[in-house]
Amino acid sequence: MSTEQPAPQRAAVLKGLGTWLPRRAVSNEELSARLDTSDEWIRSRTGIRQRFWAEPGTATSDLAVEAGARALKSAGATGADAVVLATTTPDHPCPATAPAVAARLGLGTVPAFDVSAVCAGFVYATATAAGLITAGIAERVLVIGAETYSSILNPEDRTTSVIFGDGAGAVVLEAGGADEPGALLGFDLGSDGSHPDLITVPAGGSRQRLSDTEPDPADAYFRMQGKPVFTHAVTRMGQSSTALLEKIGWEKESVDRFVGHQANVRILHSLADLLGIDRERAVVNLDRVGNTSAASIPLALGDAVADGRITAGDRVVLSAFGGGLAWGSTALVWPDITTA
Ligand code: ACO
C-alpha cells in the first residue's frame, strides 16, 4: 500500500500585490465649490471624503504600469506569462490597453488582453487568469484593475462626480497547490443584462454610431441610476458571496475580512449585516479613494494589508458588483506577502 499523498489540485495562488494612485487628491470641499453638493451630503450618503483624479495627460495604462510593476516586485518576479487588465476606461476604444502595459513592463510578447465587466472587472479578470493557470496555459499571470473615471465623468453631474476616483491595483497569480495560503479557492460569477441603462456611457459604441439621431454631447459621459443600483448591489453581492461560501465550505462566521466593491459604506455595512459578521470585518477604504471601479478591490486590499487590517492566515472574501449588471466573488486564505 502506497503512503504517498496525492498531489494537491493545481490552483492559482496570490503571490504579489501592488497599488498606485494619481497624486492629485480631490476633496469633497473642492467639489462642493463648483457643484450643488456638500461635504456633509457626500460623507453621510456614501462615506467618501476624497478621491484621486489623474492629471490631464495621464491615461489608464500609465496607472496600470505603476501598479503592475509594484505587484511584480512584491512577488519577487521579473516576468509573467500573460497580462489580464480589467478596465472600463481603456486608453482607446481599440486596441486593448493590456498589450501596451505588457510592453511597457518589459514582458515581451506575452498574451495580453482587457476584460470589460465594469466594477466587477477585477474579479472577472482574476477568474480568467486563474483559468489560464489551472488549464496549464500559464504559470504566472499579472492581473490589473485600472481606471481613469475622471475622463468619463460629466463635470456638471453631481450624482456621479462626487463618487468616482482614479487608480490602479494589481496582483500576481502563480501556479501552486490548492492547499497553499493565497490559493483562490473558487469563484461565483454572474450577470443580468436586462438593466443596461442603470450604469452606462450611452455614446461611443456601435449602437450610437449607427443611429440616425444627432448625438447629445452628454451621452459621452458615464451615467448611473444610484438608487436601483444600490439595491441590486446589496442583493447580488450578498447572494454571490453566500453561494461562494457554500461552494468552498466556509461558515459565514469564519470570514475574517470581507472586501466588497468600494461603492458606498452603507452597501458594505448592509452586506456585513446580511452575512452576519461584525461591520468591522468589512474592509472600507472608499473614504480615502472613492469608487475606483475595476481598481476598487486591489486598492482596498493594498490599504488593508498596509495598515494591518488583513494579515497572513486571514480568511478573506472578495465580492464585486457593477454595470452590466455583472458581479462575482472569490476567496482565499491571505498569504504571507509584502505589498509594494
Ligand atoms: N449632492 C447633493 N445632493 C445630491 C447629490 C449630491 N452629490 N447627488 C444626488 N443628490 C440628491 C438627488 O438629486 C436627490 O434629490 P431629490 O430627493 O430632490 O430628488 C437626493 O439627493 C437623493 O438622491 P438619491 O439618488 O436617492 O440618493 P441616494 O441616497 O440613493 O445616494 C448614491 C446616491 C450615493 C449614488 C447611492 O444611490 C449609491 O451609492 N448607489 C450605489 C452605487 C453603486 O453600488 N455602484 C456600484 C456599481 S458602479 C459601476 O459599476 C461603475
Side-chain angles (χ1 to χ4, degrees), residues 262-309:
Q262 302 289 307
N264 189 316
V265 72
R266 293 185 288 132
I267 293 177
L268 296 171
H269 286 166
S270 300
L271 286 167
D273 297 347
L274 216 128
L275 292 174
I277 59 172
D278 295 344
R279 289 182 171 189
E280 289 70 42
R281 292 198 208 176
V283 168
V284 178
N285 83 329
L286 58 86
D287 53 323
R288 188 171 94 83
V289 301
N291 180 343
T292 57
S293 191
S296 167
I297 286 193
L299 282 172
L301 286 172
D303 276 354
V305 172
D307 65 21
R309 274 178 290 171

Side-chain angles (χ1 to χ4, degrees), residues 37 41 45-46 118-119 149 158 226-227 263-264 266-267 322-323:
T37 189
W41 192 94
R45 302 310 297 160
T46 71
V118 196
C119 297
Y149 258 65
R158 68 177 179 174
K227 242 193 195 1
N264 189 316
R266 293 185 288 132
I267 293 177

Side-chain angles (χ1 to χ4, degrees), residues 13 33 44 132 180 189 194 201 231:
V13 181
S44 62
L132 291 175
E180 285 179 45
L189 303 172
S194 58
V201 178
T231 311

Side-chain angles (χ1 to χ4, degrees), residues 43-92:
R43 272 184 203 246
S44 62
R45 302 310 297 160
T46 71
I48 297 166
R49 64 184 165 80
Q50 68 165 23
R51 72 290 292 143
F52 293 83
W53 283 353
E55 299 288 351
T58 299
T60 293
S61 62
D62 300 321
L63 307 180
V65 165
E66 295 290 349
R70 282 163 177 75
L72 288 167
K73 187 173 169 220
S74 154
T78 51
D81 302 329
V83 176
V84 186
L85 171 71
T87 188
T88 323
T89 50
D91 287 12
H92 307 280

